[in-house]
Amino acid sequence: MQKEGLNMVEVKGVSKVFNAGRPNEMTALEDVSFAVGEGELVILKGPSGSGKSTLLSLIAALQKPTRGEVVVANEPVSRFSEDFAALYRRRKIGFVFQKFNLIPSLSVYENIITPLLPEKLDEEALKERAQRVMETFAIAHKANEPARNLSGGEQQRTAIARALVNDPPIILADEPTANLDADLSHAFLSYVGQMKEEGKTVIIATHDPLFFDLAITDREIALRNGKMEGA
Amino acid sequence: MKNLFAFALGSLLRRGAKNLFIFVIFFLMVFVLASVFMVTHALKKEMFTTLSALPQITVQRIVAGRQTQIGVERVERIARILGVSQALPRVWGFYYFPRAGVNYSIVGLESFGQQYRADLQKAADLYVEKLAAEDVMIVGPGVKKSLAEHFYPESFLFVKPDGSLKKVRIAGVFKPQTVLESNDLILMENSLVREIFGMDESMATDIVVRVPNKEEIPTVARKIREIYPDTRVITREDLRISYQNVFDYKSGIFLALFIVAVFTFFIILYDKASGLSSEEKREIGILKALGWKIGDIMRVKFFEAAVISLTAYLLAVTTALAYVFMAQAPLLKHLFTGFSVLKPSFALSFSVDVGTLALIFFVTVPVYIAATLIPSWKAATLDADEVIR
Ligand SMILES: Nc1ncnc2c1ncn2[C@@H]1O[C@H](COP(=O)(O)OP(=O)(O)O)[C@@H](O)[C@H]1O
Ligand SMILES: [Mg+2]
């Protein structure tokens, strides 16, 4: 089913201007173009403020580009309506946020099933899906623990499990190791290897040198002041 | 949908303290509003039936500013006034029973029948022969009960003004009726009432006058005053107005109470409408980033607000129903029944003003839901990219 050379994510001449026409106008991205093939691992690097997070949010259709378009699996996701974009995120995207963004008062299990709640799934199906990812990421023993009580490593694994619970083809991670010590950062790296083995398309935005020049990386894209370096 | 509902319930519990506070305020406000409206509605109804059973004109004699006995010879003179179809002397009074610490209303049969007319006729007719035959009385269920408690199960010894005793047998008990509050009532022959109160044959407690044409009531009242300057002439309209005044005044007290409750409610609304906590905003952002539609988020917010406001409303209304009609609104009722001169005790008979309950519903539940949904909607429609940075 994996077609050779199929582009999973295409970013075509994308610019993003915040507060256009106002004194605080800010061009976060300028004419960015690249494509990511299915099952590829891409590292999006660049200093803080270079536009990495903005780019990820455009790919996730959390906001719309000022110019250009984003095409995912041949769908113009940057032109989707709110509801379509939500559906697209739910079915196609697993997001690992910087700081993980778990809901602190919910348990590990409740956090993990959150992306599935709008779907028509019964209790059984929810449990089954959660169990699978909780076991993969060794967090099942904490299923009923509120997220606020978790250690950094446990939060990380819960966040990854949540991103993968709906079995999305694309994983986006934003500074996933920014708040982790060296051991946990290495652990994350091994999870990335696991995702790639499962055939996921993975895009990681980071300025952590740990991710630079990895053997499993298919491509590195460097951003500076919203522009692609060497473009 | 079921999953979203469960999520909403979970959210309510997660923010338990805050939601409990809102629930309590909501409950109290609806409870106070509903109770007061139920009591006033029931009392107004009661007042209306009482008033409609009252004589059009009551004539009392006043000596030294106090009501005193009135000569029955005046009945004839009053009956001759143009427009008067009937004038009747009434014999009645309060009898204090020290051991029970209560006042009974003793009412002479003729007077009684006239005062409450049709309502009473049913109950009284059954016993009329018995009353005439011997020294017997018909008592309200409350009288029967308190006499029995003090070892007078079948008859009672009344103490006459001269200290001598008068034994009167209980011939029957009024069936509990809604319109007629007969709980503390004792009904007997006029002559027996006179004997117990030590009243002369030529005297009555007051005189009631029937005037078929309502238009003529003020004229007749004025004429009676002219003929007998020592009388106080009370028309049903006078009573209605004074009842209404007492009523309105008492209602005013509650206006102040409402203002406090409503004020608190609006603080909550303001707090809700003026925006979400950063935690709530972040949560909405996370949910959006995880692929929730705005509609999904709004559904959860709606469930949350609906569950809290509907349960508070329903619980408050049922509690109010129980408080008013089962417990007879302790505290509240007494604040309203200051006008008990003609009718010592009021029973709140069950009558629900659905319109008022609906009004309370519409000024609380949808308002609260809207105040919750609007800021959530604002937060949900903003770009959710903040959470990912
Ligand atoms: N919603 C926004 N409004 C205004 N400026 C923004 C907004 N989002 C991002 N920016 C600006 O765009 C630039 C790129 O930000 P970001 O994509 O977060 O960079 P990075 O993730 O590489 O650190 C920054 O200067 C940031 O301040
Ligand atoms: Mg960033």
Side-chain angles (χ1 to χ4, degrees), chain A residues 18-19 26 28 47-55 174-175, chain B residues 385 389:
Chain A
F18 290 109
N19 308 315
M26 167 78 218
S48 183
S50 56
K52 305 182 295 296
S53 295
T54 304
L55 189 50
D174 195 4
E175 311 277 9
Chain B
D385 68 297
R389 271 183 286 131

Side-chain angles (χ1 to χ4, degrees), chain A residues 29-102:
Chain A
L29 290 172
E30 203 176 331
D31 196 24
V32 174
S33 297
F34 63 90
V36 182
E38 190 174 357
E40 282 188 344
L41 167 62
V42 169
I43 303 296
L44 202 57
K45 59 185 187 179
S48 183
S50 56
K52 305 182 295 296
S53 295
T54 304
L55 189 50
L56 287 188
S57 74
L58 291 175
I59 295 170
L62 280 167
Q63 34 183 346
K64 295 194 184 305
T66 312
R67 279 181 299 279
E69 71 171 347
V70 178
V71 177
V72 174
N74 292 321
E75 303 257 30
V77 299
S78 55
R79 281 187 272 149
F80 278 179
S81 70
E82 278 274 353
D83 280 0
F84 260 123
L87 208 58
Y88 151 72
R89 275 194 293 281
R90 199 193 301 160
R91 302 255 162 94
K92 295 276 164 54
I93 304 284
F95 218 121
V96 180
F97 306 95
Q98 185 172 0
K99 292 181 241 153
F100 309 127
N101 273 335
L102 299 173

Side-chain angles (χ1 to χ4, degrees), chain B residues 207-345:
Chain B
I207 298 170
V208 293
V209 182
R210 183 181 296 179
V211 181
N213 184 354
K214 260 173 64 183
E215 308 287 307
E216 291 175 6
I217 292 175
T219 323
V220 172
R222 206 184 56 237
K223 275 201 185 129
I224 297 171
R225 259 183 236 114
E226 278 167 17
I227 301 168
Y228 299 112
D230 65 341
T231 55
R232 175 160 64 201
V233 182
I234 304 160
T235 67
R236 197 194 289 171
E237 182 63 13
D238 293 339
L239 286 175
R240 199 190 61 74
I241 290 168
S242 68
Y243 282 14
Q244 193 65 51
N245 284 346
V246 175
F247 217 76
D248 291 346
Y249 164 73
K250 305 280 178 173
S251 305
I253 297 172
F254 284 94
L255 197 67
L257 237 154
F258 295 158
I259 290 169
V260 175
V262 168
F263 185 71
T264 320
F265 183 60
F266 278 98
I267 287 179
I268 290 175
L269 289 188
Y270 175 78
D271 175 59
K272 286 262 163 195
S274 61
L276 304 174
S277 68
S278 62
E279 184 214 320
E280 282 173 301
K281 270 189 203 149
R282 208 174 71 99
E283 194 171 307
I284 288 176
I286 293 171
L287 295 176
K288 267 188 88 176
L290 293 177
W292 285 40
K293 292 177 185 172
I294 292 174
D296 297 326
I297 294 167
M298 296 315 290
R299 230 160 269 152
V300 164
K301 294 292 168 190
F302 174 80
F303 289 149
E304 284 182 26
V307 163
I308 203 167
S309 57
L310 274 178
T311 50
Y313 174 84
L314 290 176
L315 191 70
V317 168
T318 16
T319 312
L321 283 172
Y323 167 74
V324 173
F325 297 115
M326 281 165 69
Q328 289 288 305
L331 297 175
L332 196 53
K333 190 170 104 173
H334 301 293
L335 272 165
F336 279 102
T337 49
F339 53 87
S340 55
V341 193
L342 280 123
K343 209 170 179 210
S345 80

Side-chain angles (χ1 to χ4, degrees), chain B residues 26-189:
Chain B
F26 209 111
F27 172 86
L28 283 179
M29 191 184 66
V30 174
F31 174 74
V32 170
L33 279 169
S35 303
V36 170
F37 279 131
M38 282 174 194
V39 168
T40 52
H41 182 71
L43 286 180
K44 265 187 184 156
K45 227 183 89 177
E46 185 83 5
M47 191 173 89
F48 185 77
T49 36
T50 307
L51 278 171
S52 65
L54 285 177
Q56 283 120 332
I57 296 176
T58 309
V59 184
Q60 301 172 337
R61 190 159 79 99
I62 303 295
V63 171
R66 303 186 66 107
Q67 188 194 344
T68 184
Q69 297 176 25
I70 190 165
V72 289
E73 80 284 351
R74 296 186 183 192
V75 171
E76 220 184 303
R77 175 69 193 92
I78 291 170
R80 286 207 310 269
I81 296 171
L82 210 67
V84 174
S85 69
Q86 191 183 33
L88 270 181
R90 294 198 306 184
V91 182
W92 61 277
F94 299 116
Y95 183 87
Y96 184 64
F97 179 35
R99 273 203 267 165
V102 290
N103 265 312
Y104 301 131
S105 313
I106 303 184
V107 178
L109 175 64
E110 290 91 296
S111 332
F112 193 80
Q114 173 66 16
Q115 181 179 0
Y116 294 99
R117 287 205 302 263
D119 296 325
L120 186 80
Q121 218 60 59
K122 271 186 289 161
D125 275 352
L126 296 170
Y127 302 104
V128 166
E129 295 90 51
K130 280 189 182 175
L131 284 177
E134 40 171 333
D135 290 345
V136 292
M137 58 186 171
I138 300 172
V139 299
V143 178
K144 171 80 182 171
K145 192 163 154 263
S146 66
L147 288 183
E149 274 167 11
H150 294 89
F151 311 107
Y152 293 105
E154 266 146 29
S155 56
F156 182 65
L157 291 172
F158 287 95
V159 183
K160 293 196 277 189
D162 63 5
S164 63
L165 300 176
K166 177 73 188 175
K167 184 175 174 177
V168 181
R169 200 168 62 78
I170 300 171
V173 181
F174 286 114
K175 292 187 212 82
Q177 283 175 316
T178 42
V179 174
L180 175 74
E181 181 42 56
S182 51
N183 208 38
D184 63 352
L185 198 70
I186 296 176
L187 181 60
M188 51 178 83
E189 273 288 288

